[in-house]
Amino acid sequence: MWRNRLKSPLKTEHDAREVALGLLARREHSKRELIIKLRARGCPDKIITQVVDQLAAEGMQSDARFAETFVRSRVDRGRGPLRVRAELIERGLEDELIVEALLQYEDWWRDLALEAYNKKFGESMPPDDIEERSRRSMFLQRRGFTSDQIRYAIEHPKRA
């Protein structure tokens, strides 16, 4: 029975607010994420705007807080700054908030690249073979690290 309630369109501001608060209780959401999720449940745009703006004004929803927790979760997963930036852009955050959130970990990125490298390839010597070096470099590149961070990790694998 409750499944039907979830699938029915959200027609009132109260219903939309309840759904939004439920989403925010589980984890932080960006404004854009909330808008997309409420829209997917059939909520009119006028109500969505009112609810999301009201939640932000009350401090229940914060893009800055979302960015902070999101970056921390990606750092814990061994992701680099380029990938994290792309994911934050995808979630509708403003560049200013993204830069601020990434700056908190500015001193960590190089060590994080080294940690990811050592976890995957061990603390072996840097590869002599250009193909192997390229393969290892691509691994870190897919994780979102910059070329300087990748170069450091490959050339200093025993410093972790």
Side-chain angles (χ1 to χ4, degrees), residues 74-137:
R74 293 314 187 258
V75 164
D76 290 345
R77 293 182 188 179
R79 302 297 187 253
L82 299 177
R83 182 163 174 182
V84 175
R85 172 184 283 282
E87 290 179 12
L88 287 170
I89 289 170
E90 191 177 288
R91 284 161 175 79
L93 268 71
E94 296 175 14
D95 198 49
E96 183 179 307
L97 290 175
I98 294 171
V99 168
E100 197 174 302
L102 291 175
L103 275 177
Q104 292 179 4
Y105 296 94
E106 185 175 16
D107 297 335
W108 293 38
W109 298 118
R110 193 171 74 169
D111 293 336
L112 192 59
L114 182 58
E115 188 179 308
Y117 179 87
N118 286 338
K119 186 176 179 182
K120 175 76 173 175
F121 303 109
E123 296 180 359
S124 60
M125 295 300 294
D128 294 330
D129 185 319
I130 190 79
E131 287 181 28
E132 180 61 17
R133 186 178 182 91
S134 177
R135 185 178 79 81
R136 293 180 181 195
S137 176

